Amino acid sequence: MDPEVLKKAPLFAGLEDEAASALAAAMGTIKLNRGEVLFHEGDKEDRLYVVVSGKIKLGRSGSAGRENLLAILGPGQMFGELSLFDPGPRSSTATAVTACEIRTLEHDELMGWLSGRPEVALGLLGQLAARLRRANDVVADLVFSDVPGRVAKQLLELARRFGERREDGIHVHHDLTQEELAQLVGASRETVNKALADFAARGWIRLEPRSVTILDTVRVERRAR
Ligand code: CMP
């Protein structure tokens, strides 16, 4: 049990310690290895999940086997609430990007908490609202931004979530392959690689396996606009 990470989850926002411990105690635990699938798009299942450690990717498949990544989730983030509130199949496939520990909450258990504790409902609504905001930004970027602009934006987003400040810049251990990074940007691997190589040649970033160091944040931010 890692209550500190769990308490970062929107589900726990506003709960005092005793209630947070009771909610944590009602949750199950799942451990996944890199590449293991937690659920598939279209599955009928309505548990709620919270990431305690590791990273999960949420992806959708399109025609001709193409994949698009909706999000990379890290510790404290929650997913699986759409099937809970809008009963229907899972809207994406959840796969472990690294070894992960995940907490689970059954539908009936959550409903009990929601009816008794408005703070829990508010926490969930907060996350839904933030996700809609982000989804609107992603749509706007797909319409208005070019691929390098979207790559720059994605690097900054990954840096905000997983970055670590070092002497020479912000080290971002994103754990993604180049293919996954391209799926997150929503462009071909070739185009995304070209943009990354261009940023590296200009000295804005340094590329490393499954990580990147942002050396010139100002330039990357300017390119993301
Ligand atoms: P559900 O449809 O139950 O299962 C897949 C989950 O992915 C979904 O609930 C959400 O929790 C999550 N999800 C779907 N779309 C997005 C998105 N655009 N950004 C982040 N998470 C999402």
Side-chain angles (χ1 to χ4, degrees):
M1 179 84 53
D2 188 345
E4 285 317 307
V5 171
L6 273 186
K7 276 187 212 157
K8 279 204 315 195
L11 190 63
F12 288 79
L15 283 184
E16 65 278 16
D17 284 355
E18 208 175 303
S21 301
L23 178 54
M27 301 176 96
T29 301
I30 292 180
K31 292 196 174 176
L32 299 170
N33 295 317
R34 174 172 170 86
E36 261 188 275
V37 173
L38 181 60
F39 56 73
H40 286 98
E41 187 178 345
D43 280 358
K44 291 197 172 62
E45 184 242 354
D46 57 6
R47 277 189 295 185
L48 184 75
Y49 299 95
V50 179
V51 182
V52 171
S53 65
K55 295 188 186 80
I56 287 279
K57 63 175 179 180
L58 298 173
R60 297 183 73 136
S61 2
S63 54
R66 284 185 62 182
E67 272 254 0
N68 170 235
L69 290 184
L70 296 170
I72 304 292
L73 305 185
Q77 289 191 288
M78 188 181 77
F79 60 104
E81 76 294 335
L82 294 188
S83 311
L84 241 155
F85 294 124
D86 179 24
R90 292 291 189 196
S91 59
S92 66
T93 298
T95 312
V97 173
T98 64
C100 285
E101 185 176 328
I102 311 282
R103 287 296 143 88
T104 64
L105 192 62
E106 299 296 330
H107 174 275
D108 292 351
E109 185 74 41
L110 177 63
M111 288 306 167
W113 279 87
L114 289 179
S115 50
R117 310 287 306 218
E119 314 85 293
V120 175
L122 281 175
L124 281 170
L125 280 174
Q127 161 146 346
L128 277 175
R131 198 167 274 169
L132 181 57
R133 241 184 235 282
R134 189 181 161 270
N136 285 345
D137 285 346
V138 169
V139 172
D141 288 341
L142 284 172
V143 176
F144 300 123
S145 297
D146 58 0
V147 173
R150 289 182 352 236
V151 170
K153 202 159 193 177
Q154 203 51 250
L155 290 178
L156 293 170
E157 169 75 9
L158 290 167
R160 189 181 63 75
R161 310 239 329 277
F162 305 115
E164 186 192 309
R165 208 163 268 287
R166 292 199 182 157
E167 242 169 54
D168 56 348
I170 306 171
H171 180 73
V172 190
H173 195 75
H174 50 65
D175 287 294
L176 303 174
T177 61
Q178 292 193 334
E179 183 71 46
E180 288 169 329
L181 208 51
Q183 290 167 352
L184 194 58
V185 170
S188 74
R189 185 174 154 168
E190 292 71 24
T191 333
V192 171
N193 282 354
K194 210 168 135 215
L196 288 168
D198 178 53
F199 293 176
R202 290 168 188 266
W204 299 354
I205 63 170
R206 188 173 57 238
L207 293 167
E208 292 131 13
R210 303 209 177 190
S211 59
V212 60
T213 299
I214 302 182
L215 304 166
D216 191 338
T217 315
V218 173
R219 295 291 171 95
V220 178
E221 276 172 353
R222 211 172 287 160
R223 191 61 187 85
R225 262 184 236 138

Coordinates of all heavy atoms in Angstrom, one line a residue, residues 146-209:
D146 N 1.3 21.9 -36.8 CA 2.0 20.9 -37.7 C 2.7 19.8 -36.8 O 2.6 19.9 -35.6 CB 3.1 21.6 -38.5 CG 4.1 22.4 -37.7 OD1 4.0 22.3 -36.5 OD2 5.0 23.0 -38.3
V147 N 3.2 18.8 -37.4 CA 3.8 17.7 -36.6 C 4.9 18.1 -35.7 O 4.9 17.8 -34.5 CB 4.2 16.5 -37.5 CG1 4.9 15.4 -36.7 CG2 3.0 15.9 -38.2
P148 N 5.9 18.9 -36.1 CA 6.9 19.4 -35.2 C 6.3 20.1 -34.0 O 6.8 20.0 -32.9 CB 7.8 20.3 -36.0 CG 7.6 19.8 -37.4 CD 6.2 19.4 -37.5
G149 N 5.3 20.9 -34.2 CA 4.7 21.7 -33.1 C 4.0 20.7 -32.1 O 4.1 20.9 -30.9
R150 N 3.4 19.6 -32.7 CA 2.8 18.7 -31.8 C 3.8 17.8 -31.0 O 3.7 17.5 -29.9 CB 1.8 17.7 -32.6 CG 0.6 18.5 -33.0 CD -0.4 17.8 -33.8 NE -0.3 16.5 -34.2 CZ -0.4 16.1 -35.5 NH1 -0.7 17.1 -36.4 NH2 -0.3 14.9 -35.9
V151 N 5.0 17.6 -31.7 CA 6.1 16.8 -31.0 C 6.6 17.7 -29.9 O 6.8 17.2 -28.8 CB 7.2 16.5 -32.1 CG1 8.4 15.9 -31.3 CG2 6.7 15.5 -33.1
A152 N 6.8 19.0 -30.2 CA 7.3 19.9 -29.1 C 6.4 19.9 -27.9 O 6.8 19.8 -26.8 CB 7.5 21.3 -29.7
K153 N 5.1 20.0 -28.2 CA 4.1 20.1 -27.1 C 4.1 18.8 -26.3 O 4.0 18.8 -25.1 CB 2.7 20.3 -27.8 CG 1.7 20.9 -26.8 CD 0.6 21.5 -27.6 CE -0.2 22.4 -26.6 NZ -1.3 23.1 -27.3
Q154 N 4.2 17.7 -27.0 CA 4.1 16.4 -26.3 C 5.4 16.2 -25.4 O 5.3 15.7 -24.3 CB 4.1 15.2 -27.4 CG 3.5 13.9 -26.9 CD 2.2 14.0 -26.2 OE1 2.1 13.8 -25.0 NE2 1.1 14.4 -26.9
L155 N 6.5 16.7 -25.9 CA 7.8 16.6 -25.1 C 7.6 17.4 -23.8 O 8.0 17.0 -22.7 CB 9.0 17.1 -25.9 CG 9.4 16.2 -27.1 CD1 10.6 16.9 -27.8 CD2 9.9 14.8 -26.6
L156 N 7.0 18.6 -24.0 CA 6.8 19.4 -22.8 C 5.8 18.8 -21.8 O 6.0 18.8 -20.6 CB 6.3 20.8 -23.2 CG 7.3 21.6 -24.0 CD1 6.6 22.9 -24.6 CD2 8.5 22.1 -23.1
E157 N 4.8 18.2 -22.3 CA 3.8 17.5 -21.5 C 4.4 16.3 -20.7 O 4.2 16.1 -19.5 CB 2.6 17.0 -22.4 CG 1.6 16.1 -21.8 CD 0.6 16.7 -20.8 OE1 0.6 18.0 -20.8 OE2 -0.1 16.0 -20.1
L158 N 5.2 15.5 -21.5 CA 5.9 14.4 -20.8 C 6.9 14.9 -19.8 O 7.1 14.3 -18.7 CB 6.7 13.5 -21.9 CG 5.7 12.7 -22.8 CD1 6.5 12.2 -24.0 CD2 5.0 11.6 -22.0
A159 N 7.6 16.1 -20.1 CA 8.5 16.7 -19.1 C 7.8 17.1 -17.9 O 8.3 16.9 -16.8 CB 9.3 17.8 -19.8
R160 N 6.6 17.7 -18.1 CA 5.9 18.2 -16.9 C 5.5 17.0 -16.0 O 5.5 17.1 -14.8 CB 4.6 18.9 -17.4 CG 3.8 19.6 -16.4 CD 2.6 20.3 -17.0 NE 1.6 19.3 -17.6 CZ 0.8 18.6 -16.8 NH1 0.8 18.6 -15.5 NH2 0.0 17.7 -17.4
R161 N 5.2 15.9 -16.6 CA 4.7 14.8 -15.8 C 5.8 13.9 -15.3 O 5.8 13.4 -14.2 CB 3.7 13.9 -16.6 CG 2.7 14.8 -17.3 CD 1.3 14.4 -16.9 NE 1.2 13.0 -16.7 CZ 1.0 12.1 -17.6 NH1 0.9 12.4 -18.8 NH2 0.9 10.8 -17.2
F162 N 6.8 13.6 -16.1 CA 7.8 12.7 -15.8 C 9.3 13.2 -15.7 O 10.2 12.5 -15.6 CB 7.8 11.5 -16.7 CG 6.5 10.8 -16.9 CD1 5.8 10.9 -18.1 CD2 5.9 10.2 -15.8 CE1 4.5 10.3 -18.2 CE2 4.6 9.6 -15.9 CZ 3.9 9.6 -17.1
G163 N 9.4 14.5 -15.9 CA 10.7 15.2 -16.0 C 11.4 15.3 -14.7 O 10.8 15.4 -13.7
E164 N 12.8 15.3 -14.8 CA 13.6 15.5 -13.7 C 14.6 16.6 -14.0 O 15.3 16.4 -15.1 CB 14.3 14.2 -13.4 CG 15.1 14.1 -12.2 CD 15.9 12.8 -12.2 OE1 15.3 11.7 -12.5 OE2 17.1 12.8 -12.1
R165 N 14.7 17.7 -13.2 CA 15.6 18.7 -13.6 C 17.1 18.3 -13.3 O 17.4 17.8 -12.2 CB 15.3 20.0 -12.8 CG 15.7 21.3 -13.5 CD 15.0 22.4 -12.8 NE 13.7 22.8 -13.5 CZ 13.6 23.3 -14.7 NH1 14.7 23.6 -15.4 NH2 12.4 23.6 -15.2
R166 N 17.9 18.4 -14.3 CA 19.4 18.1 -14.1 C 20.1 19.3 -14.5 O 19.6 20.3 -15.1 CB 19.8 16.9 -14.9 CG 19.1 15.6 -14.5 CD 19.8 14.4 -15.0 NE 19.1 13.2 -14.5 CZ 19.2 12.1 -15.2 NH1 20.0 12.0 -16.2 NH2 18.6 11.0 -14.7
E167 N 21.5 19.3 -14.3 CA 22.3 20.4 -14.6 C 22.2 20.9 -16.1 O 22.1 22.1 -16.3 CB 23.8 20.0 -14.4 CG 24.4 20.9 -13.3 CD 25.7 20.3 -12.9 OE1 26.6 20.2 -13.8 OE2 25.9 20.1 -11.7
D168 N 22.1 19.9 -17.0 CA 22.1 20.3 -18.4 C 20.7 20.5 -19.0 O 20.5 20.9 -20.2 CB 22.9 19.3 -19.3 CG 22.4 17.9 -19.1 OD1 21.6 17.7 -18.2 OD2 22.8 17.1 -20.0
G169 N 19.7 20.2 -18.2 CA 18.3 20.4 -18.8 C 17.3 19.5 -18.0 O 17.6 19.1 -16.9
I170 N 16.2 19.3 -18.7 CA 15.2 18.4 -18.0 C 15.2 17.0 -18.6 O 15.0 16.8 -19.8 CB 13.7 19.0 -18.2 CG1 13.7 20.5 -17.8 CG2 12.7 18.2 -17.5 CD1 12.4 21.2 -18.1
H171 N 15.6 16.1 -17.8 CA 15.7 14.7 -18.2 C 14.3 14.0 -18.2 O 13.7 14.0 -17.1 CB 16.7 13.9 -17.4 CG 16.9 12.5 -17.8 ND1 17.5 12.2 -19.0 CD2 16.4 11.4 -17.3 CE1 17.5 10.9 -19.1 NE2 16.8 10.3 -18.1
V172 N 13.8 13.5 -19.3 CA 12.5 12.9 -19.3 C 12.6 11.4 -19.7 O 12.8 11.1 -20.8 CB 11.6 13.6 -20.4 CG1 10.1 13.1 -20.2 CG2 11.7 15.1 -20.3
H173 N 12.4 10.6 -18.7 CA 12.5 9.2 -18.9 C 11.1 8.7 -19.2 O 10.3 8.3 -18.3 CB 13.1 8.4 -17.7 CG 13.5 7.0 -18.1 ND1 14.6 6.8 -18.8 CD2 12.9 5.9 -17.8 CE1 14.7 5.4 -19.0 NE2 13.6 4.9 -18.4
H174 N 10.7 8.8 -20.5 CA 9.3 8.5 -20.8 C 9.0 7.0 -21.0 O 7.8 6.6 -21.0 CB 8.9 9.3 -22.1 CG 9.8 9.2 -23.2 ND1 10.0 8.0 -23.9 CD2 10.6 10.1 -23.9 CE1 10.8 8.2 -24.9 NE2 11.2 9.4 -24.9
D175 N 10.0 6.2 -21.2 CA 9.9 4.7 -21.4 C 9.2 4.3 -22.7 O 8.8 3.2 -22.9 CB 9.1 4.1 -20.2 CG 9.8 4.1 -19.0 OD1 10.8 3.3 -18.9 OD2 9.5 4.8 -18.0
L176 N 9.0 5.3 -23.6 CA 8.3 5.0 -24.9 C 9.3 4.6 -26.0 O 10.4 5.3 -26.1 CB 7.4 6.2 -25.3 CG 6.4 6.6 -24.3 CD1 5.7 7.9 -24.8 CD2 5.4 5.5 -24.0
T177 N 8.9 3.7 -26.9 CA 9.6 3.5 -28.1 C 9.3 4.6 -29.0 O 8.4 5.4 -28.8 CB 9.2 2.2 -28.7 OG1 7.8 2.3 -29.1 CG2 9.4 1.0 -27.8
Q178 N 10.1 4.7 -30.1 CA 9.8 5.8 -31.1 C 8.5 5.6 -31.7 O 7.8 6.6 -32.0 CB 10.9 5.8 -32.2 CG 12.3 6.2 -31.6 CD 13.3 6.6 -32.6 OE1 13.2 6.0 -33.7 NE2 14.3 7.4 -32.2
E179 N 8.1 4.4 -31.9 CA 6.8 4.1 -32.5 C 5.7 4.6 -31.5 O 4.7 5.2 -32.0 CB 6.7 2.5 -32.6 CG 5.4 2.0 -33.3 CD 5.3 2.4 -34.8 OE1 6.3 2.1 -35.4 OE2 4.3 2.9 -35.2
E180 N 5.8 4.3 -30.2 CA 4.8 4.8 -29.3 C 4.8 6.3 -29.2 O 3.7 6.9 -29.1 CB 5.1 4.2 -27.9 CG 4.8 2.7 -27.8 CD 5.3 2.0 -26.5 OE1 6.4 2.5 -26.0 OE2 4.7 1.0 -26.1
L181 N 5.9 6.9 -29.3 CA 6.0 8.4 -29.2 C 5.2 8.9 -30.5 O 4.4 9.9 -30.3 CB 7.4 8.8 -29.3 CG 7.8 10.2 -28.7 CD1 7.3 10.3 -27.3 CD2 9.3 10.3 -28.7
A182 N 5.4 8.3 -31.6 CA 4.7 8.7 -32.8 C 3.2 8.5 -32.7 O 2.4 9.4 -33.1 CB 5.2 8.0 -34.0
Q183 N 2.8 7.4 -32.1 CA 1.4 7.1 -31.9 C 0.7 8.2 -30.9 O -0.4 8.5 -31.0 CB 1.2 5.7 -31.3 CG 1.5 4.6 -32.3 CD 1.6 3.3 -31.6 OE1 1.6 3.1 -30.4 NE2 1.7 2.2 -32.5
L184 N 1.5 8.7 -30.0 CA 1.0 9.7 -29.0 C 0.9 11.0 -29.7 O -0.1 11.8 -29.4 CB 2.0 9.8 -27.9 CG 1.6 10.5 -26.6 CD1 0.4 9.9 -26.0 CD2 2.8 10.5 -25.6
V185 N 1.8 11.3 -30.7 CA 1.7 12.6 -31.4 C 0.6 12.5 -32.5 O 0.0 13.5 -32.9 CB 3.0 12.9 -32.0 CG1 3.0 14.0 -33.0 CG2 4.1 13.2 -31.0
G186 N 0.3 11.2 -32.9 CA -0.8 11.1 -33.9 C -0.2 11.4 -35.3 O -0.8 12.0 -36.1
A187 N 1.0 10.9 -35.6 CA 1.6 11.1 -36.9 C 2.5 9.8 -37.2 O 2.7 9.0 -36.3 CB 2.5 12.3 -36.9
S188 N 3.0 9.8 -38.4 CA 3.8 8.6 -38.8 C 5.2 8.6 -38.0 O 5.7 9.7 -37.6 CB 4.1 8.6 -40.3 OG 5.0 9.5 -40.6
R189 N 5.7 7.5 -37.8 CA 7.0 7.4 -37.1 C 8.1 8.2 -37.9 O 8.9 8.9 -37.2 CB 7.4 5.9 -37.1 CG 8.6 5.6 -36.3 CD 8.8 4.2 -36.1 NE 10.2 3.9 -35.9 CZ 10.7 2.8 -35.6 NH1 9.9 1.7 -35.4 NH2 12.0 2.6 -35.4
E190 N 8.1 8.1 -39.2 CA 9.1 8.8 -40.0 C 9.0 10.4 -39.7 O 10.0 11.0 -39.5 CB 8.9 8.6 -41.5 CG 9.1 7.2 -42.0 CD 8.1 6.2 -41.5 OE1 6.9 6.6 -41.2 OE2 8.4 5.0 -41.4
T191 N 7.8 10.9 -39.8 CA 7.6 12.4 -39.6 C 8.1 12.8 -38.2 O 8.7 13.8 -38.0 CB 6.2 12.8 -39.8 OG1 5.5 11.9 -40.7 CG2 6.1 14.2 -40.3
V192 N 7.7 12.0 -37.2 CA 8.0 12.3 -35.8 C 9.5 12.2 -35.6 O 10.1 13.1 -35.0 CB 7.2 11.4 -34.8 CG1 7.7 11.6 -33.4 CG2 5.7 11.7 -34.9
N193 N 10.1 11.2 -36.2 CA 11.6 11.0 -36.0 C 12.3 12.2 -36.7 O 13.3 12.7 -36.2 CB 12.1 9.7 -36.7 CG 11.8 8.5 -35.8 OD1 11.3 8.7 -34.7 ND2 12.0 7.3 -36.3
K194 N 11.8 12.6 -37.8 CA 12.4 13.8 -38.5 C 12.4 15.0 -37.6 O 13.4 15.7 -37.5 CB 11.7 14.0 -39.8 CG 12.5 14.6 -40.9 CD 11.8 14.5 -42.3 CE 12.0 15.8 -42.9 NZ 10.9 16.3 -43.7
A195 N 11.2 15.2 -37.0 CA 11.1 16.4 -36.1 C 12.1 16.3 -35.0 O 12.7 17.3 -34.6 CB 9.7 16.5 -35.7
L196 N 12.1 15.1 -34.4 CA 13.0 14.9 -33.2 C 14.5 15.1 -33.6 O 15.3 15.8 -32.9 CB 12.8 13.5 -32.6 CG 11.5 13.3 -31.9 CD1 11.3 11.8 -31.6 CD2 11.5 14.1 -30.6
A197 N 14.8 14.6 -34.8 CA 16.2 14.7 -35.3 C 16.6 16.2 -35.5 O 17.7 16.6 -35.2 CB 16.4 13.9 -36.5
D198 N 15.6 16.9 -36.0 CA 15.8 18.3 -36.3 C 16.0 19.1 -35.0 O 16.9 19.9 -34.9 CB 14.6 18.9 -37.1 CG 14.7 20.4 -37.3 OD1 15.7 20.8 -37.9 OD2 13.7 21.1 -37.0
F199 N 15.1 18.8 -34.0 CA 15.3 19.5 -32.7 C 16.7 19.2 -32.1 O 17.3 20.0 -31.5 CB 14.2 19.0 -31.7 CG 12.8 19.4 -32.0 CD1 11.7 19.0 -31.2 CD2 12.5 20.2 -33.1 CE1 10.4 19.3 -31.5 CE2 11.2 20.6 -33.4 CZ 10.2 20.1 -32.6
A200 N 17.1 17.9 -32.3 CA 18.4 17.5 -31.7 C 19.5 18.2 -32.4 O 20.5 18.7 -31.8 CB 18.6 16.0 -31.8
A201 N 19.4 18.3 -33.8 CA 20.5 19.0 -34.6 C 20.6 20.5 -34.2 O 21.7 21.0 -34.2 CB 20.2 18.8 -36.0
R202 N 19.5 21.1 -33.8 CA 19.5 22.5 -33.4 C 20.0 22.6 -31.9 O 20.1 23.8 -31.4 CB 18.1 23.1 -33.4 CG 17.6 23.2 -34.9 CD 16.1 23.5 -34.8 NE 15.5 23.5 -36.2 CZ 15.4 24.6 -36.9 NH1 15.8 25.7 -36.5 NH2 14.9 24.5 -38.1
G203 N 20.2 21.5 -31.2 CA 20.7 21.6 -29.8 C 19.6 21.8 -28.8 O 19.8 22.2 -27.7
W204 N 18.3 21.7 -29.2 CA 17.2 21.9 -28.3 C 17.0 20.7 -27.3 O 16.5 20.8 -26.2 CB 15.9 22.1 -29.0 CG 15.8 23.3 -29.9 CD1 16.8 24.2 -30.1 CD2 14.8 23.6 -30.8 NE1 16.4 25.2 -31.0 CE2 15.2 24.8 -31.5 CE3 13.5 23.1 -31.1 CZ2 14.4 25.5 -32.4 CZ3 12.7 23.7 -32.0 CH2 13.2 24.9 -32.7
I205 N 17.3 19.5 -27.9 CA 17.1 18.2 -27.1 C 18.2 17.3 -27.4 O 19.0 17.4 -28.3 CB 15.7 17.5 -27.5 CG1 15.8 17.1 -29.0 CG2 14.5 18.4 -27.3 CD1 14.6 16.1 -29.4
R206 N 18.3 16.3 -26.5 CA 19.3 15.2 -26.7 C 18.5 13.9 -26.6 O 17.7 13.7 -25.6 CB 20.4 15.2 -25.7 CG 21.5 14.2 -26.0 CD 22.7 14.3 -25.1 NE 22.3 14.1 -23.7 CZ 22.5 15.0 -22.7 NH1 23.1 16.1 -23.0 NH2 22.1 14.7 -21.5
L207 N 18.6 13.1 -27.7 CA 17.8 11.9 -27.7 C 18.5 10.7 -27.1 O 19.7 10.6 -27.4 CB 17.4 11.5 -29.2 CG 16.5 12.5 -29.9 CD1 16.5 12.2 -31.4 CD2 15.1 12.4 -29.3
E208 N 17.9 9.9 -26.2 CA 18.5 8.8 -25.6 C 17.4 7.7 -25.7 O 16.2 8.0 -25.9 CB 18.8 9.0 -24.2 CG 19.9 10.0 -24.0 CD 19.6 11.2 -23.0 OE1 18.6 11.0 -22.2 OE2 20.4 12.1 -22.9
P209 N 17.8 6.4 -25.6 CA 16.8 5.3 -25.7 C 15.8 5.5 -24.6 O 16.1 5.6 -23.4 CB 17.7 4.0 -25.4 CG 19.1 4.4 -25.7 CD 19.2 5.9 -25.4

